Amino acid sequence: MYSPYSEIVRDWPDHLRANFPEDYFHHTAETGSTNDDLLALAARGKARPGEVTLTDYQSKGRGRRGDRWEAEPGRNLLFSIALPLTGNRTHWSRLPHLTAMIVGRAVESILPDTGTQAKWPNDIYIHGKKLAGILVETVMQPAPFAIVGIGLNVNTRPEEFPDSIADIATSLYSELDCESSRWFVLGLILRGFFETYPDALDDFDEVKAWLESRSYLQGKMLALRTAAGHLSGTAHGLGPDGELLIETEDGRVETIISAEEIFIL
């Protein structure tokens, strides 16, 4: 199969290319799940820092709660990157938020001034419609690794979205009315990881400020289902590690680390 590696790293400085040699990039026509592929490598101790698996079609892709993620073959970016988990363990939970900023910045470089928003904790929106989703999974043995899966709608035409999501999903093609190079977009995102990870997990202020300034949920009345039960209130910013802060009707501020479901009321 043709390798787009040279297109991905075309504008990268030499020191970044050195972190991502060509044999770290795996491109397949079809797989079940790119996250599963890298999780299996990591569990065998075979994953390398920055290793990437990308597929044209993903038959068993899933979202953060196990939701299915599918796309027409070759239209979109469906990939995962293996990142070693090092340093302060209490900061590892910041990785989904750093990923949202990296993906969001890549989108903004292509679509400036289009109102890119981050929907806590793992989605990127444009004009109120979902453009990308993020799924972070971990392997602790034989060495701690995070597998970061990203699905970004690049060249899906508006008429190709199923009726069930046509009103809530978008793509770069829908916004630009023309095709974009998947490899150029992938290069922007991967470069973002190599330039910021893992340092930005410790120096988190820039990530937090980016997310808060582009929050899709900020100020909205929400109903949430968490492991501790149901909660409703107004989105009130982010905590120091990217937790969602909810102000309840009685004025209390609750800290949400994760939620099974979030509904905008």
Side-chain angles (χ1 to χ4, degrees), residues 13-225:
D14 290 342
H15 73 280
L16 291 184
R17 290 192 187 205
N19 292 330
F20 185 58
E22 187 167 2
D23 66 337
Y24 279 36
F25 176 69
H26 311 286
H27 176 204
T28 64
E30 180 177 346
T31 193
S33 161
T34 58
N35 258 36
D36 285 348
D37 294 344
L38 281 184
L39 284 167
L41 277 181
R44 298 198 306 270
K46 301 294 186 181
R48 296 169 292 186
E51 193 158 9
V52 170
T53 295
L54 177 145
T55 191
D56 293 334
Y57 179 73
Q58 191 166 237
S59 61
K60 297 179 181 178
R62 60 189 180 276
R64 189 173 56 89
R65 299 188 307 271
D67 301 328
R68 293 293 297 273
W69 178 282
E70 291 190 9
E72 290 296 316
R75 286 282 201 235
N76 302 324
L77 277 179
L78 304 167
F79 72 97
S80 301
I81 181 171
L83 299 173
L85 290 168
T86 60
N88 190 336
R89 285 174 173 255
T90 64
H91 293 170
W92 292 357
S93 63
R94 296 172 172 180
L95 180 54
H97 311 299
L98 172 60
T99 302
M101 186 187 77
I102 290 169
V103 175
R105 281 182 166 175
V107 170
E108 288 177 337
S109 72
I110 301 166
L111 291 169
D113 304 320
T114 53
T116 302
Q117 292 180 295
K119 182 183 177 184
W120 186 92
N122 65 332
D123 295 332
I124 298 297
Y125 275 55
I126 289 181
H127 298 142
K129 295 184 176 183
K130 183 174 176 177
L131 177 73
I134 296 160
L135 174 66
V136 179
E137 298 178 287
T138 58
V139 169
M140 300 308 294
Q141 297 292 338
F145 260 87
I147 306 302
V148 180
I150 297 170
L152 192 152
N153 296 327
V154 179
N155 289 318
T156 296
R157 277 57 169 168
E159 63 273 14
E160 292 175 341
F161 286 113
D163 291 342
S164 59
I165 63 170
D167 292 335
I168 58 174
T170 190
S171 65
L172 295 181
Y173 185 95
S174 298
E175 302 298 327
L176 293 167
D177 199 27
C178 66
E179 288 203 351
S180 299
S181 165
R182 288 190 297 161
W183 315 126
F184 175 76
V185 180
L186 178 62
L188 292 174
I189 295 172
L190 294 182
R191 181 170 179 171
F193 277 111
F194 290 120
E195 289 178 336
T196 63
Y197 185 85
D199 294 348
L201 296 186
D202 296 323
D203 187 9
F204 196 62
D205 290 346
E206 183 179 2
V207 178
K208 184 171 177 287
W210 190 93
L211 293 170
E212 289 185 319
S213 68
R214 293 160 177 82
S215 173
Y216 181 77
L217 298 179
Q218 179 66 20
K220 292 183 170 69
M221 185 68 181
L222 308 175
L224 303 92
R225 182 169 66 86

